[in-house]
Amino acid sequence: MARSSSGFVAGLTAAALAAVAFLAYQASANAPADVSAKPRTPAAAPSAEPTGGPKPKPKDPLAVPGNSGSGARVVYALSERRVWLVDAKGQATHTFSVAPSTVDPKPGAYKVTSRSGSVTGSDGVKIEHVVRFATVDDVTVGFSAAVDGSLPTPDPTRKTGGIRMKRADGDAMWTFAAIGAKVVVVA
């Protein structure tokens, strides 16, 4: 009886080894060449569009945000940290990036209320071409350029309203945004 059960166990062992070998073969046949690669998610799946076609055009930097009104205006996009100077025909004549303040005005339409050629900012930096247009929680908000040309990251522990730009952009803003000029803030 011991002999027949040894043969039975040997047969079962051989069958189990064959099954494991078969499953290992199947797994290796479907494995990626680089096993360290992350599996693709549905969002990362290839698109149905041909890959050899023309690449999409990059966004036109002078393209004015669509939700910014009409006519001559300064447009300030909070999320893009960008400003457009827009003429009466609705065309941007100048656009530039800015360093935002720690206090943001709410999206909406404002008017330039005051201007200063040269002052010291609330952060102690000498600034020029200051164009003020809003007040938020007793903090005056406006565009300005640091005389030293810096675009510092504002201290998040201080409430400041200075939206900083490069000096050349400050020159353009100063020429464009007189008292009463429209400023539109978009998200």
Side-chain angles (χ1 to χ4, degrees), residues 84-138:
W84 292 262
L85 305 181
V86 183
D87 66 17
K89 295 178 183 175
Q91 300 296 311
T93 59
H94 194 80
T95 185
F96 49 91
S97 59
V98 296
S101 59
T102 60
V103 176
D104 287 331
K106 291 183 180 180
Y110 301 86
K111 288 191 181 284
V112 173
T113 56
S114 69
R115 295 169 22 121
S116 296
S118 180
V119 296
T120 299
S122 58
D123 58 359
V125 175
K126 293 211 179 279
I127 55 177
E128 65 183 1
H129 297 146
V130 181
V131 176
R132 299 175 197 91
F133 64 93
T135 302
V136 178
D137 298 329
D138 296 325

Short mmCIF file of all heavy atoms in Angstrom, two decimals, residues 84-138:
data_model
loop_
_atom_site.label_atom_id
_atom_site.label_comp_id
_atom_site.label_asym_id
_atom_site.label_seq_id
_atom_site.Cartn_x
_atom_site.Cartn_y
_atom_site.Cartn_z
N TRP A 84 -2.84 91.31 -18.93
CA TRP A 84 -2.95 91.73 -20.33
C TRP A 84 -3.37 93.19 -20.34
O TRP A 84 -4.29 93.57 -19.60
CB TRP A 84 -4.01 90.93 -21.08
CG TRP A 84 -3.69 89.49 -21.31
CD1 TRP A 84 -3.18 88.93 -22.45
CD2 TRP A 84 -3.90 88.41 -20.39
NE1 TRP A 84 -3.04 87.57 -22.28
CE2 TRP A 84 -3.49 87.22 -21.03
CE3 TRP A 84 -4.39 88.32 -19.08
CZ2 TRP A 84 -3.53 85.98 -20.42
CZ3 TRP A 84 -4.44 87.08 -18.46
CH2 TRP A 84 -4.02 85.94 -19.13
N LEU A 85 -2.76 93.98 -21.20
CA LEU A 85 -3.20 95.35 -21.45
C LEU A 85 -3.97 95.28 -22.76
O LEU A 85 -3.41 94.94 -23.80
CB LEU A 85 -2.00 96.30 -21.54
CG LEU A 85 -1.05 96.28 -20.33
CD1 LEU A 85 0.09 97.27 -20.53
CD2 LEU A 85 -1.80 96.56 -19.03
N VAL A 86 -5.27 95.58 -22.69
CA VAL A 86 -6.18 95.34 -23.82
C VAL A 86 -6.67 96.68 -24.36
O VAL A 86 -7.19 97.51 -23.60
CB VAL A 86 -7.37 94.45 -23.38
CG1 VAL A 86 -8.28 94.14 -24.56
CG2 VAL A 86 -6.87 93.17 -22.72
N ASP A 87 -6.56 96.87 -25.69
CA ASP A 87 -7.01 98.13 -26.30
C ASP A 87 -8.52 98.16 -26.50
O ASP A 87 -9.22 97.18 -26.20
CB ASP A 87 -6.26 98.38 -27.61
CG ASP A 87 -6.56 97.38 -28.72
OD1 ASP A 87 -7.58 96.65 -28.64
OD2 ASP A 87 -5.79 97.34 -29.70
N ALA A 88 -9.03 99.26 -27.01
CA ALA A 88 -10.48 99.45 -27.18
C ALA A 88 -11.10 98.44 -28.13
O ALA A 88 -12.30 98.15 -28.04
CB ALA A 88 -10.76 100.87 -27.67
N LYS A 89 -10.30 97.86 -29.03
CA LYS A 89 -10.81 96.86 -29.97
C LYS A 89 -10.81 95.45 -29.36
O LYS A 89 -11.19 94.49 -30.03
CB LYS A 89 -9.95 96.85 -31.24
CG LYS A 89 -10.05 98.15 -32.02
CD LYS A 89 -9.14 98.09 -33.23
CE LYS A 89 -9.17 99.42 -33.97
NZ LYS A 89 -8.22 99.43 -35.08
N GLY A 90 -10.35 95.33 -28.13
CA GLY A 90 -10.32 94.02 -27.47
C GLY A 90 -9.07 93.22 -27.74
O GLY A 90 -9.02 92.03 -27.43
N GLN A 91 -8.05 93.86 -28.32
CA GLN A 91 -6.79 93.16 -28.64
C GLN A 91 -5.75 93.46 -27.57
O GLN A 91 -5.57 94.62 -27.17
CB GLN A 91 -6.25 93.64 -30.00
CG GLN A 91 -7.21 93.38 -31.15
CD GLN A 91 -7.45 91.92 -31.38
OE1 GLN A 91 -6.52 91.13 -31.45
NE2 GLN A 91 -8.71 91.53 -31.48
N ALA A 92 -5.05 92.45 -27.11
CA ALA A 92 -3.98 92.65 -26.15
C ALA A 92 -2.80 93.32 -26.84
O ALA A 92 -2.36 92.88 -27.90
CB ALA A 92 -3.55 91.33 -25.54
N THR A 93 -2.31 94.39 -26.25
CA THR A 93 -1.14 95.07 -26.79
C THR A 93 0.12 94.67 -26.05
O THR A 93 1.22 94.87 -26.55
CB THR A 93 -1.31 96.60 -26.69
OG1 THR A 93 -1.49 96.96 -25.31
CG2 THR A 93 -2.52 97.06 -27.50
N HIS A 94 -0.07 94.10 -24.86
CA HIS A 94 1.07 93.70 -24.03
C HIS A 94 0.57 92.68 -23.01
O HIS A 94 -0.54 92.82 -22.50
CB HIS A 94 1.62 94.95 -23.31
CG HIS A 94 2.96 94.77 -22.68
ND1 HIS A 94 4.13 94.82 -23.40
CD2 HIS A 94 3.32 94.54 -21.40
CE1 HIS A 94 5.16 94.64 -22.57
NE2 HIS A 94 4.69 94.47 -21.35
N THR A 95 1.36 91.67 -22.72
CA THR A 95 1.03 90.71 -21.67
C THR A 95 2.31 90.34 -20.94
O THR A 95 3.40 90.36 -21.52
CB THR A 95 0.33 89.45 -22.22
OG1 THR A 95 -0.06 88.62 -21.12
CG2 THR A 95 1.21 88.67 -23.17
N PHE A 96 2.17 90.04 -19.66
CA PHE A 96 3.34 89.71 -18.86
C PHE A 96 2.93 88.97 -17.60
O PHE A 96 1.79 89.06 -17.15
CB PHE A 96 4.14 90.97 -18.49
CG PHE A 96 3.31 92.08 -17.91
CD1 PHE A 96 3.11 92.18 -16.53
CD2 PHE A 96 2.72 93.02 -18.73
CE1 PHE A 96 2.34 93.21 -15.99
CE2 PHE A 96 1.95 94.04 -18.21
CZ PHE A 96 1.76 94.15 -16.83
N SER A 97 3.88 88.22 -17.04
CA SER A 97 3.62 87.51 -15.79
C SER A 97 3.92 88.44 -14.63
O SER A 97 4.69 89.39 -14.76
CB SER A 97 4.45 86.23 -15.71
OG SER A 97 5.82 86.54 -15.78
N VAL A 98 3.31 88.15 -13.49
CA VAL A 98 3.48 88.96 -12.30
C VAL A 98 3.73 88.07 -11.09
O VAL A 98 3.45 86.88 -11.12
CB VAL A 98 2.24 89.86 -12.02
CG1 VAL A 98 2.04 90.87 -13.13
CG2 VAL A 98 0.99 89.02 -11.83
N ALA A 99 4.25 88.67 -10.03
CA ALA A 99 4.38 88.00 -8.74
C ALA A 99 3.22 88.52 -7.90
O ALA A 99 3.14 89.71 -7.62
CB ALA A 99 5.72 88.35 -8.10
N PRO A 100 2.28 87.64 -7.53
CA PRO A 100 1.08 88.10 -6.83
C PRO A 100 1.36 88.57 -5.41
O PRO A 100 2.39 88.25 -4.82
CB PRO A 100 0.19 86.85 -6.81
CG PRO A 100 1.16 85.72 -6.84
CD PRO A 100 2.32 86.19 -7.68
N SER A 101 0.42 89.34 -4.88
CA SER A 101 0.50 89.78 -3.50
C SER A 101 -0.07 88.68 -2.60
O SER A 101 -0.56 87.67 -3.08
CB SER A 101 -0.31 91.07 -3.34
OG SER A 101 -1.66 90.85 -3.70
N THR A 102 -0.04 88.91 -1.29
CA THR A 102 -0.63 87.93 -0.38
C THR A 102 -2.13 88.14 -0.23
O THR A 102 -2.82 87.27 0.28
CB THR A 102 0.04 87.98 1.01
OG1 THR A 102 -0.15 89.29 1.57
CG2 THR A 102 1.51 87.65 0.92
N VAL A 103 -2.61 89.29 -0.66
CA VAL A 103 -4.04 89.60 -0.61
C VAL A 103 -4.53 89.73 -2.04
O VAL A 103 -4.04 90.58 -2.79
CB VAL A 103 -4.30 90.91 0.18
CG1 VAL A 103 -5.77 91.27 0.14
CG2 VAL A 103 -3.81 90.78 1.61
N ASP A 104 -5.50 88.90 -2.43
CA ASP A 104 -6.04 88.94 -3.79
C ASP A 104 -7.39 89.65 -3.82
O ASP A 104 -8.24 89.41 -2.96
CB ASP A 104 -6.26 87.52 -4.34
CG ASP A 104 -4.96 86.84 -4.69
OD1 ASP A 104 -3.99 87.53 -5.04
OD2 ASP A 104 -4.92 85.59 -4.63
N PRO A 105 -7.60 90.49 -4.84
CA PRO A 105 -8.94 91.05 -5.01
C PRO A 105 -9.86 89.96 -5.54
O PRO A 105 -9.41 89.02 -6.19
CB PRO A 105 -8.72 92.14 -6.05
CG PRO A 105 -7.53 91.69 -6.82
CD PRO A 105 -6.66 90.95 -5.85
N LYS A 106 -11.14 90.07 -5.26
CA LYS A 106 -12.11 89.10 -5.79
C LYS A 106 -12.28 89.34 -7.28
O LYS A 106 -12.14 90.47 -7.76
CB LYS A 106 -13.46 89.25 -5.08
CG LYS A 106 -13.41 88.82 -3.65
CD LYS A 106 -14.77 88.90 -3.00
CE LYS A 106 -14.66 88.46 -1.55
NZ LYS A 106 -15.93 88.51 -0.86
N PRO A 107 -12.58 88.29 -8.05
CA PRO A 107 -12.85 88.50 -9.48
C PRO A 107 -13.98 89.52 -9.66
O PRO A 107 -14.95 89.53 -8.90
CB PRO A 107 -13.27 87.10 -9.96
CG PRO A 107 -12.54 86.17 -9.03
CD PRO A 107 -12.60 86.86 -7.70
N GLY A 108 -13.79 90.39 -10.64
CA GLY A 108 -14.77 91.45 -10.91
C GLY A 108 -14.11 92.62 -11.60
O GLY A 108 -12.92 92.59 -11.92
N ALA A 109 -14.89 93.67 -11.81
CA ALA A 109 -14.40 94.87 -12.50
C ALA A 109 -14.10 95.97 -11.48
O ALA A 109 -14.87 96.19 -10.54
CB ALA A 109 -15.43 95.36 -13.51
N TYR A 110 -12.98 96.63 -11.67
CA TYR A 110 -12.52 97.72 -10.80
C TYR A 110 -12.10 98.88 -11.68
O TYR A 110 -12.02 98.76 -12.90
CB TYR A 110 -11.32 97.25 -9.97
CG TYR A 110 -11.60 96.06 -9.08
CD1 TYR A 110 -11.48 94.75 -9.57
CD2 TYR A 110 -11.97 96.22 -7.76
CE1 TYR A 110 -11.73 93.66 -8.75
CE2 TYR A 110 -12.23 95.13 -6.93
CZ TYR A 110 -12.11 93.86 -7.43
OH TYR A 110 -12.36 92.77 -6.63
N LYS A 111 -11.76 99.99 -11.05
CA LYS A 111 -11.19 101.14 -11.75
C LYS A 111 -9.92 101.57 -11.03
O LYS A 111 -9.82 101.45 -9.81
CB LYS A 111 -12.18 102.30 -11.79
CG LYS A 111 -13.35 102.05 -12.72
CD LYS A 111 -14.14 103.33 -12.93
CE LYS A 111 -15.32 103.11 -13.82
NZ LYS A 111 -15.00 103.01 -15.22
N VAL A 112 -8.96 102.08 -11.79
CA VAL A 112 -7.74 102.61 -11.19
C VAL A 112 -8.14 103.81 -10.35
O VAL A 112 -8.77 104.75 -10.84
CB VAL A 112 -6.71 103.00 -12.27
CG1 VAL A 112 -5.51 103.71 -11.65
CG2 VAL A 112 -6.26 101.77 -13.06
N THR A 113 -7.79 103.78 -9.05
CA THR A 113 -8.18 104.84 -8.13
C THR A 113 -7.06 105.81 -7.81
O THR A 113 -7.32 106.96 -7.47
CB THR A 113 -8.70 104.22 -6.81
OG1 THR A 113 -7.68 103.36 -6.29
CG2 THR A 113 -9.98 103.43 -7.05
N SER A 114 -5.81 105.35 -7.88
CA SER A 114 -4.68 106.24 -7.63
C SER A 114 -3.42 105.66 -8.26
O SER A 114 -3.36 104.47 -8.58
CB SER A 114 -4.48 106.46 -6.12
OG SER A 114 -4.03 105.29 -5.50
N ARG A 115 -2.43 106.55 -8.41
CA ARG A 115 -1.15 106.17 -8.99
C ARG A 115 -0.04 106.91 -8.26
O ARG A 115 -0.26 108.02 -7.77
CB ARG A 115 -1.10 106.55 -10.48
CG ARG A 115 -2.09 105.81 -11.33
CD ARG A 115 -2.26 106.35 -12.76
NE ARG A 115 -1.22 107.14 -13.34
CZ ARG A 115 -0.55 106.85 -14.46
NH1 ARG A 115 -0.85 105.75 -15.12
NH2 ARG A 115 0.37 107.66 -14.93
N SER A 116 1.12 106.30 -8.18
CA SER A 116 2.30 106.96 -7.61
C SER A 116 3.50 106.60 -8.45
O SER A 116 3.69 105.43 -8.80
CB SER A 116 2.55 106.48 -6.17
OG SER A 116 1.49 106.86 -5.32
N GLY A 117 4.31 107.61 -8.76
CA GLY A 117 5.49 107.38 -9.57
C GLY A 117 6.55 106.57 -8.85
O GLY A 117 7.15 105.67 -9.43
N SER A 118 6.78 106.88 -7.56
CA SER A 118 7.83 106.19 -6.80
C SER A 118 7.51 106.29 -5.32
O SER A 118 7.31 107.38 -4.79
CB SER A 118 9.18 106.83 -7.10
OG SER A 118 10.20 106.18 -6.39
N VAL A 119 7.46 105.15 -4.64
CA VAL A 119 7.20 105.08 -3.20
C VAL A 119 7.92 103.87 -2.63
O VAL A 119 8.54 103.10 -3.36
CB VAL A 119 5.68 104.97 -2.89
CG1 VAL A 119 4.92 106.21 -3.35
CG2 VAL A 119 5.07 103.73 -3.50
N THR A 120 7.77 103.68 -1.32
CA THR A 120 8.27 102.46 -0.68
C THR A 120 7.07 101.56 -0.46
O THR A 120 6.05 102.00 0.09
CB THR A 120 8.97 102.78 0.66
OG1 THR A 120 10.08 103.64 0.39
CG2 THR A 120 9.47 101.51 1.32
N GLY A 121 7.18 100.30 -0.88
CA GLY A 121 6.08 99.35 -0.74
C GLY A 121 5.87 98.92 0.70
O GLY A 121 6.72 99.17 1.57
N SER A 122 4.75 98.27 0.95
CA SER A 122 4.43 97.81 2.31
C SER A 122 5.43 96.77 2.80
O SER A 122 5.52 96.51 4.00
CB SER A 122 3.01 97.24 2.36
OG SER A 122 2.88 96.17 1.45
N ASP A 123 6.22 96.21 1.89
CA ASP A 123 7.25 95.24 2.28
C ASP A 123 8.62 95.90 2.45
O ASP A 123 9.62 95.23 2.65
CB ASP A 123 7.33 94.11 1.26
CG ASP A 123 7.62 94.60 -0.15
OD1 ASP A 123 7.74 95.83 -0.37
OD2 ASP A 123 7.71 93.76 -1.06
N GLY A 124 8.66 97.25 2.35
CA GLY A 124 9.91 97.98 2.54
C GLY A 124 10.75 98.13 1.30
O GLY A 124 11.81 98.75 1.33
N VAL A 125 10.31 97.61 0.16
CA VAL A 125 11.07 97.68 -1.10
C VAL A 125 10.67 98.95 -1.84
O VAL A 125 9.49 99.31 -1.92
CB VAL A 125 10.76 96.43 -1.97
CG1 VAL A 125 11.41 96.53 -3.33
CG2 VAL A 125 11.20 95.17 -1.25
N LYS A 126 11.67 99.65 -2.41
CA LYS A 126 11.38 100.85 -3.22
C LYS A 126 10.73 100.39 -4.52
O LYS A 126 11.26 99.51 -5.20
CB LYS A 126 12.65 101.64 -3.50
CG LYS A 126 13.24 102.27 -2.27
CD LYS A 126 13.94 103.56 -2.62
CE LYS A 126 14.52 104.20 -1.38
NZ LYS A 126 13.56 104.95 -0.63
N ILE A 127 9.58 100.98 -4.84
CA ILE A 127 8.82 100.59 -6.04
C ILE A 127 8.48 101.81 -6.87
O ILE A 127 8.54 102.95 -6.38
CB ILE A 127 7.53 99.81 -5.66
CG1 ILE A 127 6.67 100.63 -4.69
CG2 ILE A 127 7.87 98.46 -5.08
CD1 ILE A 127 5.33 99.99 -4.33
N GLU A 128 8.14 101.56 -8.12
CA GLU A 128 7.75 102.64 -9.03
C GLU A 128 6.55 102.21 -9.86
O GLU A 128 6.17 101.04 -9.88
CB GLU A 128 8.92 103.00 -9.95
CG GLU A 128 9.33 101.88 -10.89
CD GLU A 128 10.54 102.22 -11.74
OE1 GLU A 128 11.10 103.32 -11.61
OE2 GLU A 128 10.93 101.36 -12.56
N HIS A 129 5.96 103.20 -10.51
CA HIS A 129 4.81 102.96 -11.40
C HIS A 129 3.70 102.19 -10.70
O HIS A 129 3.25 101.15 -11.19
CB HIS A 129 5.24 102.27 -12.69
CG HIS A 129 6.18 103.13 -13.48
ND1 HIS A 129 7.18 102.59 -14.21
CD2 HIS A 129 6.28 104.47 -13.63
CE1 HIS A 129 7.86 103.57 -14.80
NE2 HIS A 129 7.33 104.71 -14.46
N VAL A 130 3.28 102.70 -9.56
CA VAL A 130 2.25 102.06 -8.75
C VAL A 130 0.88 102.44 -9.30
O VAL A 130 0.56 103.62 -9.44
CB VAL A 130 2.36 102.48 -7.27
CG1 VAL A 130 1.31 101.79 -6.43
CG2 VAL A 130 3.77 102.20 -6.75
N VAL A 131 0.08 101.43 -9.62
CA VAL A 131 -1.28 101.63 -10.15
C VAL A 131 -2.23 100.87 -9.22
O VAL A 131 -2.28 99.64 -9.25
CB VAL A 131 -1.38 101.11 -11.60
CG1 VAL A 131 -2.80 101.22 -12.13
CG2 VAL A 131 -0.41 101.86 -12.51
N ARG A 132 -2.96 101.61 -8.39
CA ARG A 132 -3.84 101.00 -7.38
C ARG A 132 -5.27 100.92 -7.90
O ARG A 132 -5.76 101.85 -8.54
CB ARG A 132 -3.80 101.81 -6.09
CG ARG A 132 -2.43 101.89 -5.46
CD ARG A 132 -2.42 102.81 -4.24
NE ARG A 132 -1.07 103.20 -3.87
CZ ARG A 132 -0.45 104.28 -4.32
NH1 ARG A 132 -1.06 105.11 -5.15
NH2 ARG A 132 0.79 104.54 -3.94
N PHE A 133 -5.96 99.79 -7.56
CA PHE A 133 -7.32 99.62 -8.09
C PHE A 133 -8.31 98.97 -7.13
O PHE A 133 -9.50 98.92 -7.43
CB PHE A 133 -7.28 98.81 -9.40
CG PHE A 133 -6.79 97.41 -9.23
CD1 PHE A 133 -7.68 96.36 -9.01
CD2 PHE A 133 -5.44 97.11 -9.31
CE1 PHE A 133 -7.24 95.06 -8.86
CE2 PHE A 133 -4.98 95.81 -9.15
CZ PHE A 133 -5.88 94.78 -8.94
N ALA A 134 -7.88 98.47 -5.99
CA ALA A 134 -8.82 97.79 -5.09
C ALA A 134 -8.33 97.89 -3.65
O ALA A 134 -7.16 98.17 -3.39
CB ALA A 134 -8.95 96.32 -5.48
N THR A 135 -9.26 97.65 -2.72
CA THR A 135 -8.93 97.53 -1.31
C THR A 135 -9.61 96.28 -0.78
O THR A 135 -10.80 96.08 -1.00
CB THR A 135 -9.40 98.77 -0.51
OG1 THR A 135 -8.78 99.93 -1.06
CG2 THR A 135 -9.02 98.65 0.96
N VAL A 136 -8.83 95.42 -0.12
CA VAL A 136 -9.35 94.18 0.43
C VAL A 136 -8.92 94.11 1.90
O VAL A 136 -7.72 94.12 2.19
CB VAL A 136 -8.80 92.95 -0.34
CG1 VAL A 136 -9.29 91.65 0.28
CG2 VAL A 136 -9.15 93.02 -1.80
N ASP A 137 -9.88 94.06 2.82
CA ASP A 137 -9.58 93.98 4.25
C ASP A 137 -8.58 95.06 4.67
O ASP A 137 -7.57 94.78 5.32
CB ASP A 137 -9.05 92.59 4.63
CG ASP A 137 -10.05 91.47 4.37
OD1 ASP A 137 -11.26 91.74 4.48
OD2 ASP A 137 -9.62 90.35 4.06
N ASP A 138 -8.84 96.28 4.27
CA ASP A 138 -7.99 97.45 4.59
C ASP A 138 -6.59 97.39 3.98
O ASP A 138 -5.69 98.10 4.41
CB ASP A 138 -7.89 97.65 6.11
CG ASP A 138 -9.23 97.99 6.73
OD1 ASP A 138 -10.03 98.69 6.07
OD2 ASP A 138 -9.50 97.53 7.86
#
